Amino acid sequence: MCRMIDGKKISEEIKKELRERVSEMKEQGQERCLAVIQVGDDPASAVYVRNKKKACEYIGIRSLSYELPGETTEEELLDTIKELNNRKDVNGILVQLPLPGHIDEDRVLLAIDPEKDVDGFHPVNVGNLSIGRPGYVSCTPAGVIQLLKRSGVEIEGKECVVLGRSNIVGKPMAMLLTRENGTVTVCHSRTRNLQEITRRADILVVAIGKPKFVTRDFVKDGAVVIDVGIHRNEEGKLCGDVDFDSVAPVASAITPVPGGVGPMTIAMLMANCVEGIS
């Protein structure tokens, strides 16, 4: 019988642990502060930023909010980042994506001090991950690892397939699974015999950005399936990259959408803020 991996429950466990850790740190005179920058009034971004503020408040992290107008220039944004880089009381800087089209996202992300890059997007942190050095790890892939570990899923020695090769999820996911001693294959839009490869997976992580792309035919009986995707279907309901109804009957464990990987991203962002580079 398929077991549901409850990301909401696990994320709450992590945030509770972090809350206790922050309380201990405050007793020792240490405080953590996250600065969140949003440019423009994208509704989805506003929701994400609000959720991050709530998480900070619950855990006990001080948060600074910079809600800049959509016409903010790239140079003005870079000046704000430079100011935050130089502030000793700010431990983490997060720029909410996407940015307006007139701003170069790569240039902005490069401007963040790698030691304050709690999103784990800076090339220095990505490079550190690739060679096993300490650094911030992208929050969604880090959350997937916690989902697996806290659900009792053994990674070491397992055949792991990552479907998707984005810089934010697919590539760091593959490196983290490798770090946990999984045997990892990365698939993408140009992969031949895709179903043949995904059906070998003991652990299948799907981050391809296509609603309900992965069906029963992609999944080996008894596989653990992690769905990173999130979309709205024709009826306005949330769904993932995995066709849950067809895959759940053959999987040994699966993450739902919503309530699976999503809540873990903010939990791991909070962990990066609290624990620092590790």
Side-chain angles (χ1 to χ4, degrees):
M1 182 169 175
C2 183
R3 177 164 53 100
M4 200 79 68
I5 297 178
D6 189 341
K8 187 173 181 181
K9 179 182 177 184
I10 293 171
S11 72
E12 291 301 327
E13 290 172 359
I14 291 171
K15 286 190 285 187
K16 185 177 179 182
E17 292 167 9
L18 292 172
R19 186 178 186 177
E20 293 171 358
R21 172 71 178 132
V22 167
S23 178
E24 293 171 359
M25 294 170 76
K26 284 182 177 178
E27 290 176 1
Q28 298 165 6
Q30 301 175 42
E31 188 174 37
R32 289 289 183 264
C33 177
L34 172 66
V36 180
I37 305 171
Q38 179 185 352
V39 183
D41 55 1
D42 178 75
S45 292
V47 171
Y48 293 141
V49 168
R50 190 161 59 246
N51 287 340
K52 287 163 187 173
K53 288 180 187 174
K54 286 181 181 177
C56 284
E57 184 178 352
Y58 173 77
I59 290 166
I61 298 173
R62 189 162 65 95
S63 66
L64 303 176
S65 180
Y66 293 77
E67 296 170 2
L68 307 179
E71 60 270 19
T72 299
T73 67
E74 185 174 302
E75 292 307 318
E76 287 172 333
L77 177 55
L78 291 172
D79 285 343
T80 300
I81 292 170
K82 183 177 180 181
E83 175 194 333
L84 293 170
N85 281 341
N86 292 329
R87 284 184 58 168
K88 292 183 179 179
D89 64 322
V90 173
N91 307 98
I93 302 170
L94 184 151
V95 177
Q96 184 64 45
L97 303 179
L99 291 169
H102 65 278
I103 297 178
D104 183 342
E105 287 187 0
D106 287 342
R107 189 176 177 210
V108 168
L109 295 177
L110 279 170
I112 298 171
D113 183 341
E115 294 189 359
K116 298 187 178 187
D117 167 43
V118 287
D119 257 336
F121 293 164
H122 196 286
V124 167
N125 285 317
V126 176
N128 284 335
L129 173 61
S130 72
I131 60 174
R133 288 174 56 88
Y136 287 115
V137 176
S138 184
C139 300
T140 300
V144 170
I145 295 295
Q146 285 299 311
L147 280 178
L148 293 169
K149 287 185 172 182
R150 290 173 182 249
S151 299
V153 177
E154 182 74 28
I155 302 172
E156 183 171 343
K158 295 291 181 66
E159 184 101 16
C160 306
V161 174
V162 178
L163 185 47
R165 56 176 170 179
S166 71
N167 291 334
I168 292 174
V169 180
K171 291 174 184 174
M173 189 76 255
M175 288 189 280
L176 284 175
L177 288 166
T178 301
R179 190 166 79 177
E180 297 294 331
N181 298 314
T183 300
V184 183
T185 302
V186 178
C187 297
H188 45 78
S189 59
R190 303 298 177 88
T191 299
R192 297 176 181 176
N193 304 317
L194 181 60
Q195 292 184 8
E196 182 181 317
I197 296 170
T198 59
R199 280 200 301 265
R200 296 202 309 254
D202 301 308
I203 300 171
L204 177 61
V205 181
V206 186
I208 199 169
K210 294 183 178 180
K212 298 187 176 183
F213 180 84
V214 170
T215 60
R216 162 74 185 89
D217 297 334
F218 287 78
V219 181
K220 177 176 76 172
D221 285 359
V224 175
V225 180
I226 305 293
D227 188 352
V228 180
I230 187 161
H231 316 273
R232 288 201 180 273
N233 62 18
E234 301 81 6
E235 301 168 355
K237 294 182 179 179
L238 291 173
C239 65
D241 290 352
V242 175
D243 183 3
F244 184 90
D245 291 339
S246 74
V247 171
V250 298
S252 63
I254 190 169
T255 56
V257 176
V261 174
M264 296 298 295
T265 301
I266 290 181
M268 299 316 296
L269 171 66
M270 296 297 107
N272 278 349
C273 292
V274 173
E275 302 298 348
I277 291 173
S278 58

